[in-house]
Amino acid sequence: MINSYTYNHTDKSWTNNEGLVDIQNLLYARYGGIHDSYDEDIFLQKDVCDIFYELTFNDTIVGFAAYDIIDDKHYILTAFYVKSDELLSSIFISHLKTHYRQGHILSILEPTRKIIELLIKCDFAVKLNKSLVISAINFQLNNSSLKSTDNSNIKQDKNVYFTNLYDLDMCMLISLNIYNRNNYSCKYTLLQDADKIHYESINARKQLNNSYFDNIVSYIIDNDEIIEKRLFFLRNNIHNTLNDKDMTNALIRITQSLDELIEKHQITHDKYSRIQEQLINELDDNEIYQESIDLRIEYLTSHIDEETTKENNGINICPYCREELDPTEIYCTTCGYVYIEVGDVDSDKLDDMIYFNVFMEKMSYKYSLYNKKEKKGEFDEEYLINLAVYAVLNSLKIDEFSEQLYDLIKYEYDIENFNLKEYIEKNEYVSYTLDKQSWKKIAYTYKVQELKEILKTFKQKTSGRKSELIDRIADNIPLGYIKTCNPNLTSKGIKYLEDNVDLITYSTYLEDYIYDEYIQYSIENPGEYIQQPIDFLDEHIDYAIYTKNHYHLTHTLAIQARLYSEKEDYERTLQLTLQRFIIDLNMIYIKEEFIPYNIPIQQSTAHNIYSLNQLLGHQNFKNTFNQIYKTFKEDNLRLTYDETYEIISQLLINTNLNRLNTIIINTYYMDKKVQGPPTPKDDNTRKTTLDDFF
């Protein structure tokens, strides 16, 4: 059987021309020394493999690795063994480097704890807490050694499961499907023989019960964004282990790919040269990685003629192609560009970077009552078109038409490619004929001679003053026959304005909330123009308190204060402004790890406090402050009454806000430092899930 095997001298690998490699047979026939010496430290999940590698040190064979090949890029490591513990780490990392340089995607089939510890040592995995580990390299679960919390028959399950999560204490992989805290399923691996020998996992596994899995799920839900960012940096770190100067394999792949495009007549020789030059420069500057070369070539084939500049347009937006990024990937999945480089970041600052990114990610989502994820500033085209239509019709209502109106409004609402004029005319919101009301609006723009010509056409008297001519036309001529270049509102257009008051209310006050949720609320709870959004925000305040979401709560209080100001209810405006001030100042509901990124007093709050004190008088202001302060529980407050009122006094004399914020931070918050992911707490308030994360 060995006679059918082929040996590749370049990468020191064996394949079987007639099928799979029999690992034990090959070891015994060709590597007797290794076969006789390896012990339980090896992890070997399968008896056969697609490709078998020799592992060498100083031209001496010291071990082997076996892989299953999913496709020409995805390799599954099924066995790894090195005779010497001293060489294990260096051989392991060197072997992985080889595959990554070739652009392979690697996974590992049910590793032992020893392999997990190697991954941690190589910075390919990191501990999330005392026992949980997250890995940049995926783990494939072996269905034959799986158990499930829902008692499903996994052995007959043909699905292939992958995960990034491992429990060191239990020596097991964990694959989760989370819907919410009380609705999830978990698949986990049985204890391997090697782990039984070296670790005390048998005793730990006695703790495997519903409470254990509930705690795991709660921990992941509470820290999902931090885990996601750590996974991102781990994946990026894989590339920092590679030799940046070794571009030989990359250049070969670029040439081969471009040659294929030339042969298929998909690019010209000029494009070939320009794409090749750009890719070489980007490789040299670490702006693309081996894995993203094919994607980058595909993108540049269509876009190489476009003039582009790399700009940071906001969180989770690729600075090269402006498309939304996958926060768990290390390069843009649209254009292949590496949008963040953390290789030179001091390890002491890495946590700060992770937490800052998580903080910014939290700030980028609209506020929802049902945990919908929708980015601020992002709206579908239908919403933008409706706003643009409203803006056009409202301008006509107040006589603000100009030839540029359609183009200006299309630009304002970012719908330049939409034919707004045609849409409005097709829906009969405007007309170019006149009735008495529209005639009165535009009649005085006509010259006297033009008025006489209209009267003459309909055989009416043409003498008299201009006002008499206008009235005569209105009373005696069918105005529908008079054409105008300017559009006029029809009854349908007027009804559109009346029916879309909620749209404008949302656009004016509530664009940081989910549009569909507000429209549904307004349908179920009809109300007055200002009072209805106030009532809607009452629900958000209750939900923000329930979920202990500081940013949701303070933003909602600020919007409500603005709405009450519109109603000229300045006493209620002051109450809400002071509530927001006290919550911000004491950083209520802010987790300790996010404190460094918060400002105690916002500029808008300081301005409102100063203005409302002037408007209502200081005695009334102070009485309201005392009333609001008493509504807070003492254990939620970091500052005393006297300290808080002293800061209020500083704001009322219009002090330098930046300086005041610096003093507050230095006095009350400088001892708060980021110490890694928080420990799990028994908190059933958050609704965020990691549905498909693992």
Side-chain angles (χ1 to χ4, degrees):
M1 182 174 178
I2 296 296
N3 293 334
S4 65
Y5 287 17
T6 299
Y7 182 74
N8 185 323
H9 291 274
T10 302
D11 62 8
K12 301 182 175 64
S13 68
W14 287 95
T15 53
N16 184 358
N17 303 328
E18 299 178 357
L20 299 174
V21 175
D22 186 320
I23 297 175
Q24 298 292 353
N25 190 310
L26 181 62
L27 281 174
Y28 185 79
R30 299 284 184 176
Y31 307 100
I34 293 178
H35 185 277
D36 294 337
S37 65
Y38 77 68
D39 57 20
E40 67 279 353
D41 283 343
I42 190 175
F43 78 96
L44 185 61
Q45 299 294 341
K46 300 176 74 175
D47 295 327
V48 295
C49 66
D50 289 318
I51 187 167
F52 178 99
Y53 290 92
E54 294 176 351
L55 302 177
T56 61
F57 179 74
N58 289 340
D59 295 327
T60 301
I61 297 173
V62 295
F64 70 92
Y67 285 87
D68 285 347
I69 301 176
I70 304 300
D71 55 42
D72 59 351
K73 286 187 177 180
H74 191 175
Y75 281 45
I76 308 287
L77 179 63
T78 59
F80 192 89
Y81 173 73
V82 174
K83 286 194 287 187
S84 167
D85 281 343
E86 289 75 18
L87 292 175
L88 181 60
S89 180
S90 62
I91 296 291
F92 185 70
I93 191 73
S94 176
H95 182 71
L96 295 184
K97 278 185 184 182
T98 302
H99 281 283
Y100 280 115
R101 285 199 190 103
Q102 294 171 4
H104 292 163
I105 299 169
L106 297 184
S107 300
I108 301 175
L109 177 64
E110 197 171 338
T112 60
R113 175 168 165 172
K114 191 167 187 176
I115 294 296
I116 300 297
E117 290 171 343
L118 267 182
L119 291 174
I120 295 172
K121 187 176 181 180
C122 299
D123 294 325
F124 286 178
V126 68
K127 286 185 179 182
L128 296 172
N129 57 26
K130 187 173 73 71
S131 63
L132 280 183
V133 173
I134 188 79
S135 168
I137 298 177
N138 290 337
F139 306 130
Q140 182 181 349
L141 286 79
N142 188 353
N143 285 23
S144 63
S145 65
L146 275 186
K147 294 193 71 175
S148 174
T149 54
D150 59 7
N151 297 317
S152 57
N153 191 344
I154 302 170
K155 291 184 179 181
Q156 296 181 3
D157 190 347
K158 295 182 180 180
N159 292 324
V160 178
Y161 295 100
F162 289 90
T163 185
N164 302 84
L165 198 63
Y166 186 89
D167 188 314
L168 288 170
D169 290 343
M170 301 293 179
C171 290
M172 71 181 187
L173 297 174
I174 302 172
S175 175
L176 292 166
N177 190 11
I178 302 174
Y179 303 102
N180 56 51
R181 290 180 192 273
N182 301 314
N183 186 7
Y184 63 86
S185 62
C186 175
K187 294 176 176 57
Y188 57 96
T189 51
L190 298 174
L191 193 58
Q192 295 190 50
D193 291 339
D195 291 331
K196 290 178 185 178
I197 295 170
H198 295 288
Y199 306 100
E200 297 180 358
S201 302
I202 294 177
N203 291 332
R205 291 228 177 186
K206 293 177 181 177
Q207 308 302 315
L208 277 180
N209 52 31
N210 290 340
S211 176
Y212 166 83
F213 292 109
D214 287 346
N215 288 335
I216 292 288
V217 169
S218 291
Y219 177 84
I220 291 171
I221 289 175
D222 287 338
N223 300 285
D224 56 353
E225 290 165 299
I226 292 173
I227 292 170
E228 190 174 281
K229 285 298 175 186
R230 286 192 172 276
L231 185 57
F232 169 85
F233 285 111
L234 283 170
R235 286 176 174 168
N236 193 85
N237 189 59
I238 288 177
H239 302 277
N240 298 328
T241 67
L242 305 181
N243 184 351
D244 295 332
K245 302 302 180 184
D246 181 11
M247 296 202 302
T248 305
N249 289 327
L251 294 174
I252 292 172
R253 289 183 60 209
I254 289 171
T255 302
Q256 290 174 341
S257 297
L258 293 177
D259 285 345
E260 288 180 10
L261 292 175
I262 281 283
E263 290 173 7
K264 295 176 182 177
H265 306 289
Q266 293 180 359
I267 59 173
T268 63
H269 287 283
D270 176 60
K271 267 193 177 184
Y272 182 112
S273 300
R274 287 186 287 135
I275 292 173
Q276 185 182 55
E277 181 182 2
Q278 179 162 337
L279 287 171
I280 291 172
N281 290 334
E282 289 175 343
L283 274 171
D284 196 46
D285 293 336
N286 294 317
E287 291 179 337
I288 57 173
Y289 286 143
Q290 297 270 4
E291 297 96 308
S292 64
I293 286 175
D294 292 338
L295 185 62
R296 192 77 178 131
I297 289 174
E298 180 182 345
Y299 179 82
L300 291 177
T301 299
S302 303
H303 297 83
I304 190 66
D305 294 323
E306 298 175 9
E307 291 187 12
T308 57
T309 54
K310 289 174 287 212
E311 297 175 358
N312 291 313
N313 290 341
I315 188 163
N316 279 353
I317 302 296
C318 175
Y320 193 96
C321 70
R322 318 294 194 268
E323 294 296 327
E324 186 171 355
L325 299 165
D326 180 346
T328 66
E329 291 294 344
I330 55 178
Y331 55 81
C332 175
T333 54
T334 300
C335 71
Y337 175 69
V338 177
Y339 57 91
I340 184 169
E341 176 59 53
V342 297
D344 298 327
V345 175
D346 189 308
S347 59
D348 293 337
K349 296 180 180 178
L350 188 57
D351 269 347
D352 282 334
M353 182 179 290
I354 291 171
Y355 279 100
F356 176 73
N357 275 276
V358 171
F359 175 77
M360 293 303 294
E361 182 74 2
K362 283 175 177 290
M363 296 298 95
S364 71
Y365 286 106
K366 295 177 186 177
Y367 304 109
S368 169
L369 293 170
Y370 307 103
N371 196 43
K372 289 184 179 178
K373 286 292 183 94
E374 191 175 307
K375 290 296 183 70
K376 292 178 182 176
E378 291 186 3
F379 305 96
D380 61 35
E381 188 177 49
E382 182 182 359
Y383 169 77
L384 297 173
I385 289 170
N386 288 337
L387 277 181
V389 170
Y390 193 100
V392 169
L393 300 185
N394 197 51
S395 294
L396 298 179
K397 183 179 179 181
I398 58 177
D399 303 325
E400 288 189 2
F401 181 77
S402 70
E403 292 297 329
Q404 294 79 33
L405 180 63
Y406 286 107
D407 288 337
L408 289 172
I409 289 177
K410 283 167 63 176
Y411 177 79
E412 180 180 352
Y413 292 105
D414 194 25
I415 54 170
E416 288 94 331
N417 296 325
F418 180 77
N419 195 326
L420 183 60
K421 182 174 183 290
E422 181 182 293
Y423 180 84
I424 287 175
E425 292 175 354
K426 183 178 179 181
N427 283 279
E428 300 180 347
Y429 296 141
V430 298
S431 170
Y432 293 89
T433 57
L434 300 171
D435 55 23
K436 281 192 176 184
Q437 184 178 356
S438 57
W439 169 247
K440 291 288 187 182
K441 286 183 179 180
I442 68 166
Y444 281 93
T445 65
Y446 283 73
K447 296 177 182 178
V448 170
Q449 187 57 40
E450 291 172 330
L451 296 172
K452 288 183 176 182
E453 287 294 330
I454 294 172
L455 288 164
K456 186 177 179 180
T457 300
F458 289 91
K459 299 179 180 180
Q460 296 292 320
K461 183 179 176 181
T462 59
S463 62
R465 292 175 297 177
K466 186 173 186 177
S467 60
E468 292 174 337
L469 300 177
I470 289 171
D471 289 342
R472 192 175 300 144
I473 289 173
D475 294 337
N476 297 285
I477 291 177
L479 296 172
Y481 286 98
I482 301 177
K483 303 298 182 184
T484 175
C485 295
N486 294 342
N488 301 293
L489 274 180
T490 64
S491 57
K492 284 187 176 181
I494 293 170
K495 188 173 188 307
Y496 182 93
L497 292 175
E498 293 171 349
D499 290 345
N500 283 278
V501 172
D502 290 339
L503 174 76
I504 301 308
T505 300
Y506 175 83
S507 174
T508 306
Y509 302 106
L510 303 172
E511 283 199 332
D512 282 343
Y513 299 82
I514 302 293
Y515 177 66
D516 291 342
E517 292 181 11
Y518 174 65
I519 295 302
Q520 184 63 35
Y521 178 88
S522 65
I523 292 171
E524 295 173 355
N525 303 276
E528 297 177 4
Y529 168 64
I530 294 294
Q531 190 58 46
Q532 187 186 59
I534 287 176
D535 295 341
F536 171 70
L537 292 176
D538 278 339
E539 296 204 4
H540 276 270
I541 288 174
D542 291 342
Y543 185 74
I545 293 172
Y546 172 69
T547 57
K548 299 183 179 179
N549 189 322
H550 172 94
Y551 314 104
H552 189 171
L553 177 58
T554 54
H555 183 84
T556 305
L557 291 171
I559 299 299
Q560 263 204 345
R562 180 182 167 193
L563 287 162
Y564 274 107
S565 179
E566 295 280 352
K567 289 183 67 174
E568 298 185 358
D569 185 345
Y570 298 114
E571 180 62 34
R572 185 66 181 132
T573 302
L574 176 60
Q575 292 172 357
L576 293 163
T577 300
L578 289 172
Q579 276 184 282
R580 183 197 183 190
F581 166 76
I582 293 172
I583 292 168
D584 269 334
L585 183 66
N586 292 275
M587 300 196 184
I588 295 173
Y589 300 147
I590 294 180
K591 290 184 177 181
E592 300 295 325
E593 61 268 20
F594 295 123
I595 283 177
Y597 313 113
N598 284 271
I599 300 172
I601 306 173
Q602 300 292 328
Q603 181 70 52
S604 59
T605 307
H607 173 77
N608 290 343
I609 284 176
Y610 182 83
S611 300
L612 290 165
N613 179 65
Q614 297 276 24
L615 180 67
L616 298 174
H618 186 63
Q619 189 56 51
N620 189 9
F621 178 95
K622 187 171 183 180
N623 291 341
T624 303
F625 171 75
N626 291 338
Q627 168 198 339
I628 294 299
Y629 188 88
K630 290 176 183 177
T631 64
F632 287 86
K633 295 179 180 179
E634 188 174 340
D635 56 1
N636 280 336
L637 302 176
R638 298 170 187 262
L639 283 73
T640 65
Y641 173 89
D642 291 338
E643 290 168 335
T644 304
Y645 196 74
E646 174 59 29
I647 292 170
I648 287 272
S649 301
Q650 292 293 317
L651 289 176
L652 293 178
I653 61 174
N654 211 10
T655 190
N656 183 306
L657 184 59
N658 288 337
R659 181 174 178 275
L660 181 58
N661 272 324
T662 300
I663 292 171
I664 293 168
I665 290 169
N666 288 337
T667 304
Y668 301 105
Y669 299 104
M670 279 300 288
D671 60 328
K672 304 301 180 186
K673 297 178 181 177
V674 176
Q675 298 291 345
T679 54
K681 297 178 181 178
D682 185 17
D683 173 13
N684 294 315
T685 58
R686 277 195 63 196
K687 301 289 185 182
T688 307
T689 65
L690 273 179
D691 290 349
D692 300 311
F693 188 68
F694 293 112

